[in-house]
Amino acid sequence: MFEYTITATDPNSAARTGIFATPHGDLLTPVFAPVGTQATVKTLTPRDLAEAGATLVLANTYHLYLRPGTGLVRDFGGLHSFMGWPGPLLTDSGGFQVFSLAQMRKVDADGVTFRSHIDGGLHRFTPESAIASQEDLGADIIMCLDECPDPLDRRYNEEALARTHAWAARCQAAQRQPDQALFGIVQGGVFPDLRVESARTLRDMDFPGYAVGGLSVGETKEQMYAMLDVTVPELPAHKPRYLMGVGAPEDIVEGVARGIDIFDCVLPTRVARNGGLLTRQGRLNLRNATYTADPLPGEPGCDCYCCQHFSRAYLRHLFKAEETLALHLATTHNVRFMIRLMDEIRAHIRTGTFMAFRETFLQAYRIPNQAVRHAQRAAHKKQMGAGK
Amino acid sequence: MFEYTITATDPNSAARTGIFATPHGDLLTPVFAPVGTQATVKTLTPRDLAEAGATLVLANTYHLYLRPGTGLVRDFGGLHSFMGWPGPLLTDSGGFQVFSLAQMRKVDADGVTFRSHIDGGLHRFTPESAIASQEDLGADIIMCLDECPDPLDRRYNEEALARTHAWAARCQAAQRQPDQALFGIVQGGVFPDLRVESARTLRDMDFPGYAVGGLSVGETKEQMYAMLDVTVPELPAHKPRYLMGVGAPEDIVEGVARGIDIFDCVLPTRVARNGGLLTRQGRLNLRNATYTADPLPGEPGCDCYCCQHFSRAYLRHLFKAEETLALHLATTHNVRFMIRLMDEIRAHIRTGTFMAFRETFLQAYRIPNQAVRHAQRAAHKKQMGAGK
């Protein structure tokens, strides 16, 4: 189980295509996983996801542990059955949300105690409990409990890294279910030596796959790319590599170029709910008055249900009128946009044209200002506190 | 065009089945129209509606006049094209919303001046402008502008009725498009003599169909049924009869028994958004803790996508977690519930068993307390002001 077969490698970059075999189906990599935080990719049904071409869905253990409870999900036969998604699933350990969402947290060598962002109730995660929760959920790919420090704080990263490595060993020891691939998570902030140390330590523990965590959390894109440049070469070539919480289309293209196989991000679904459509030219804001009478589809040429049936004018009307359908239709497009991007990336890797595609893509795609992006992200996090 | 063919009549009641031919397809009556206030049946795509078996959709001229503007919809080829619904559409005249939602209104013989509930802007509807707006929208069935008084106020109803009749004649004179069926609207509050007078007056004007308005707006169910008992016999047998804004499943069964052919109501979609599922036993409140671990579908035996794929426990989780998908799935079920109810009603009329069905249905269906219902409705109206 969990065989990873490399099917093509790009001669001009670290990009590769592969097939990762999971109990709920084969994943063609590079793959993008839409985020189903609370056992639903917001506004989409499982059949909408399948129609969009999604193959892998991520769910958040922290949220599901708090509500409805991982035990209840287990009693329903696991997350696949509970949420009606028959394909591969990935769960995180809950660590990231404890460090970003919980009202209070106190880390010790054994685990982390925190207060729920929902009701303030006191809870505790340990490596063993994080594995137990994820075994209840039953995802195909599961994660070690890790600590996610401020990426710029050297001293904190050093301390946290020791705990993250010790917890990885305990997670590995605690795992009981052979049908779940437990990935180790490389941490180390923006510090190359820590990243290398982390990658080597985890590599020696022989996980069936490796995640790169603690990126896209406040550092610059250049810092993120630099960390991939030093980390990926330290990871075994024949294991899948997962860049957690990334990303933006441009970051995916750059991540693939650096050898990443798996991505997940709330970006396409969150941007959609804010009235933004992803296009190859960048984001299109449907709330803009420019689109009041625009008969074009969201992204001309797109084959999604939204673009095949509705005008920008209609979508804008739905957003202005605060109609729920707006969120659904924009999400339908944005998820399909990401899946088509991954399809195209894989095709270019197979034909050896990935680096030319990368250049063309980055020339056309207008990247939102980083400062604006970070401010929006921080405001959103403060407001929602719920992975929304 | 707009031929109405009676295909079966119930020997024991005024119930009948028929086929109403419209430019966008034949309607099998009795028919229930889900409400698409702002050019969308909330949370459903046109294909969701088609899958639920919906054939007729209602949209509100008042809302579309204010936003995005009926002229814009006209420029997109009309409402069918704008919202992507290929089947029959019905629009009201805007009168009801002016009298129930607008911030201010001042009626005179010529029309009504009001302030928008959205931005307080000043607007005016006349019979001629109501027809022009509905010609812009291009629905298959359109309505005369009417005045909707408090159903219990005799003096107001007398005055309003005279205006409603004068406006009906002006609407008829103003109509230019032959491919839209303009219905007259019977008013008269809870006063049998006014209802009879109104029905006779409009009958003599020879509309292609007749609506009964001003009911289900605060009077008791018994009063509503009594008004149907006196009104329907005055309407021509070979024209379709439309009971506006009704209704609840029990009211539909009672309306059909009294000879009504067309119904519309926000009830199934609004109840869904409040966490309620319609079942043959009455409403099921998904927020109730009873359903926390309930593996049953919303309504066992239902063939909708929601009931075929998800448990009450999952739906309850989505509602508790405030996930948009909850609204979509519950709406999917409730609309399908209404369509199946209409299918079954038509089948029983055809086989002459409608009155037995009526008795069985009413015995099983637990009707919410009227006082509670009216209080909820009033609170909702106050809060939303947007037909939601």
Side-chain angles (χ1 to χ4, degrees):
Chain A
M1 211 175 297
F2 301 112
E3 198 183 343
Y4 187 51
T5 311
I6 308 289
T7 51
T9 52
D10 180 50
N12 308 307
S13 74
R16 75 256 188 98
T17 61
I19 302 173
F20 188 50
T22 84
H24 290 84
D26 289 350
L27 294 172
L28 302 182
T29 65
V31 63
F32 174 79
V35 175
T37 297
Q38 304 189 111
T40 162
V41 175
K42 289 183 192 304
T43 83
L44 299 186
T45 63
R47 66 177 173 182
D48 294 328
L49 285 166
E51 183 180 80
T55 52
L56 177 65
V57 171
L58 177 139
N60 292 120
T61 296
Y62 168 87
H63 289 91
L64 295 172
Y65 162 85
L66 291 177
R67 187 173 57 192
T70 49
L72 187 135
V73 175
R74 177 198 61 221
D75 293 344
F76 274 77
L79 199 50
H80 291 91
S81 161
F82 185 63
M83 69 183 284
W85 172 249
L89 280 172
L90 186 164
T91 47
D92 58 9
S93 67
F96 179 73
Q97 276 77 24
V98 166
F99 289 94
S100 61
L101 286 183
Q103 287 180 14
M104 174 282 290
R105 74 205 58 88
K106 198 170 153 57
V107 190
D108 56 60
D110 183 55
V112 54
T113 300
F114 61 94
R115 288 198 179 277
S116 157
H117 74 283
I118 299 172
D119 60 9
L122 203 63
H123 299 273
R124 184 168 172 79
F125 280 174
T126 64
E128 291 75 18
S129 79
I131 293 300
S133 289
Q134 291 184 86
E135 291 187 337
D136 282 349
L137 296 174
D140 301 85
I141 303 172
I142 63 176
M143 293 290 141
C144 290
L145 184 67
D146 61 338
E147 186 168 350
C148 308
D150 174 350
L152 309 177
D153 182 336
R154 170 90 199 181
R155 183 148 165 210
Y156 183 9
N157 271 277
E158 285 175 4
E159 290 171 18
L161 201 55
R163 273 189 291 270
T164 288
H165 293 162
W167 290 358
R170 283 169 54 190
C171 285
Q172 206 169 33
Q175 196 193 359
R176 294 285 170 272
Q177 301 297 334
D179 58 351
Q180 297 181 291
L182 174 65
F183 281 28
I185 305 178
V186 175
Q187 288 284 357
V190 297
F191 307 102
D193 58 322
L194 296 187
R195 288 280 171 184
V196 168
E197 177 200 329
S198 184
R200 290 181 180 170
T201 303
L202 295 169
R203 185 186 62 195
D204 292 344
M205 294 169 66
D206 194 24
F207 286 96
Y210 293 88
V212 182
L215 291 177
S216 196
V217 291
E219 81 288 0
T220 66
K221 282 180 185 294
E222 292 67 33
Q223 287 173 312
M224 174 168 76
Y225 302 154
M227 289 307 101
L228 293 181
D229 286 334
V230 299
T231 304
V232 173
E234 302 295 334
L235 296 173
H238 61 292
K239 299 284 178 72
R241 303 154 183 162
Y242 164 33
L243 180 52
M244 302 183 80
V246 176
E250 68 276 16
D251 293 339
I252 285 182
V253 171
E254 293 294 355
V256 167
R258 288 165 174 81
I260 298 295
D261 307 302
I262 303 175
F263 301 85
D264 85 275
C265 193
V266 296
L267 184 138
T269 46
R270 183 181 292 170
V271 164
R273 296 198 306 284
N274 289 328
L277 291 184
L278 300 175
T279 80
R280 281 302 176 85
Q281 283 73 51
R283 296 189 201 173
L284 180 158
N285 184 355
L286 288 166
R287 294 182 180 279
N288 194 313
T290 312
Y291 305 116
T292 304
D294 191 335
L296 290 176
E299 186 180 30
C302 176
D303 62 0
C304 81
Y305 176 73
C306 175
C307 290
Q308 291 292 310
H309 290 84
F310 306 100
S311 63
R312 291 171 180 172
Y314 180 66
L315 296 173
R316 180 172 190 277
H317 162 65
L318 294 181
F319 271 104
K320 296 292 285 182
E322 297 180 10
E323 283 286 353
T324 302
L325 191 63
L327 316 180
H328 168 74
L329 291 177
T331 303
T332 298
H333 169 72
N334 282 359
V335 170
R336 180 64 188 147
F337 174 90
M338 298 302 289
I339 301 300
R340 290 178 76 209
L341 175 63
M342 303 316 289
D343 289 350
E344 204 163 337
I345 285 173
R346 288 198 306 275
H348 281 290
I349 296 171
R350 280 194 297 270
T351 56
T353 53
F354 173 72
M355 289 306 271
F357 168 78
R358 170 175 171 266
E359 193 173 325
T360 308
F361 177 87
L362 293 175
Q363 271 175 1
Y365 191 82
R366 199 175 59 254
I367 297 172
N369 179 287
Q370 285 195 50
V372 172
R373 221 162 29 88
H374 286 155
Q376 284 175 342
R377 190 196 189 96
H380 187 85
K381 225 163 90 175
K382 196 170 164 190
Q383 186 196 334
M384 306 305 293
K388 282 181 185 173
Chain B
M1 210 175 299
F2 302 114
E3 198 183 343
Y4 186 51
T5 311
I6 307 288
T7 51
T9 51
D10 180 49
N12 307 307
S13 74
R16 73 259 188 96
T17 61
I19 303 174
F20 188 51
T22 84
H24 290 83
D26 290 348
L27 294 172
L28 302 183
T29 65
V31 63
F32 175 80
V35 174
T37 297
Q38 304 190 111
T40 161
V41 175
K42 290 184 191 304
T43 82
L44 299 186
T45 63
R47 66 176 171 180
D48 293 329
L49 286 167
E51 183 180 83
T55 53
L56 177 65
V57 172
L58 177 140
N60 293 120
T61 297
Y62 168 87
H63 289 91
L64 296 172
Y65 162 85
L66 291 176
R67 186 173 58 193
T70 49
L72 187 137
V73 175
R74 177 199 60 222
D75 294 345
F76 275 77
L79 199 50
H80 291 92
S81 160
F82 185 62
M83 69 184 283
W85 172 248
L89 280 173
L90 187 165
T91 48
D92 58 10
S93 67
F96 179 74
Q97 276 77 25
V98 166
F99 288 93
S100 61
L101 286 182
Q103 285 181 15
M104 174 282 289
R105 75 206 59 88
K106 198 170 153 58
V107 189
D108 56 60
D110 183 56
V112 54
T113 301
F114 61 94
R115 288 199 178 277
S116 158
H117 73 284
I118 299 172
D119 60 8
L122 203 63
H123 300 273
R124 183 166 171 80
F125 280 174
T126 63
E128 291 75 19
S129 80
I131 294 299
S133 289
Q134 291 184 86
E135 291 187 338
D136 283 349
L137 296 174
D140 302 84
I141 303 171
I142 65 176
M143 293 290 140
C144 289
L145 184 67
D146 60 338
E147 187 168 349
C148 307
D150 174 350
L152 307 178
D153 182 336
R154 169 90 198 184
R155 184 148 167 211
Y156 184 9
N157 271 276
E158 285 174 4
E159 291 172 17
L161 200 55
R163 274 189 292 271
T164 289
H165 293 163
W167 290 358
R170 284 169 55 189
C171 284
Q172 207 170 34
Q175 195 192 1
R176 293 286 170 270
Q177 301 297 334
D179 59 350
Q180 297 181 291
L182 174 65
F183 281 28
I185 305 179
V186 176
Q187 287 285 355
V190 297
F191 307 104
D193 59 323
L194 296 186
R195 287 282 169 182
V196 168
E197 177 201 330
S198 184
R200 289 181 181 168
T201 303
L202 295 168
R203 185 186 63 196
D204 291 345
M205 295 169 66
D206 193 24
F207 286 97
Y210 292 87
V212 182
L215 292 177
S216 196
V217 293
E219 82 289 359
T220 65
K221 282 181 186 293
E222 292 67 32
Q223 287 174 312
M224 174 167 77
Y225 302 153
M227 290 308 101
L228 293 181
D229 286 333
V230 299
T231 304
V232 173
E234 302 295 333
L235 297 173
H238 61 292
K239 299 284 180 70
R241 304 155 183 164
Y242 162 34
L243 179 53
M244 302 183 79
V246 175
E250 68 276 16
D251 293 339
I252 285 183
V253 172
E254 293 296 354
V256 167
R258 288 164 174 82
I260 298 295
D261 306 302
I262 303 174
F263 301 85
D264 85 274
C265 194
V266 296
L267 183 138
T269 46
R270 182 181 292 169
V271 164
R273 296 199 304 286
N274 289 328
L277 291 185
L278 300 176
T279 80
R280 282 301 176 86
Q281 282 74 50
R283 296 189 200 173
L284 180 158
N285 184 355
L286 287 166
R287 295 182 180 278
N288 194 313
T290 311
Y291 305 115
T292 304
D294 191 335
L296 289 176
E299 185 180 29
C302 176
D303 61 359
C304 81
Y305 175 72
C306 174
C307 290
Q308 291 290 312
H309 289 84
F310 305 101
S311 63
R312 292 171 179 173
Y314 180 66
L315 296 172
R316 179 172 191 277
H317 162 66
L318 294 180
F319 271 103
K320 296 291 286 182
E322 296 180 12
E323 283 286 352
T324 301
L325 190 64
L327 316 180
H328 169 74
L329 291 177
T331 303
T332 298
H333 169 73
N334 283 359
V335 171
R336 180 63 188 148
F337 174 91
M338 298 302 289
I339 301 300
R340 289 178 76 209
L341 174 62
M342 304 315 290
D343 289 349
E344 203 164 339
I345 285 173
R346 289 198 307 276
H348 281 290
I349 296 171
R350 280 194 297 271
T351 55
T353 52
F354 174 72
M355 289 305 271
F357 168 78
R358 169 176 172 266
E359 192 174 328
T360 308
F361 177 87
L362 294 175
Q363 272 176 1
Y365 191 82
R366 200 175 57 254
I367 299 172
N369 180 288
Q370 286 195 48
V372 172
R373 224 164 26 91
H374 286 155
Q376 284 175 341
R377 189 193 188 101
H380 187 84
K381 226 164 88 175
K382 198 171 162 189
Q383 185 195 337
M384 306 305 292
K388 283 182 184 172

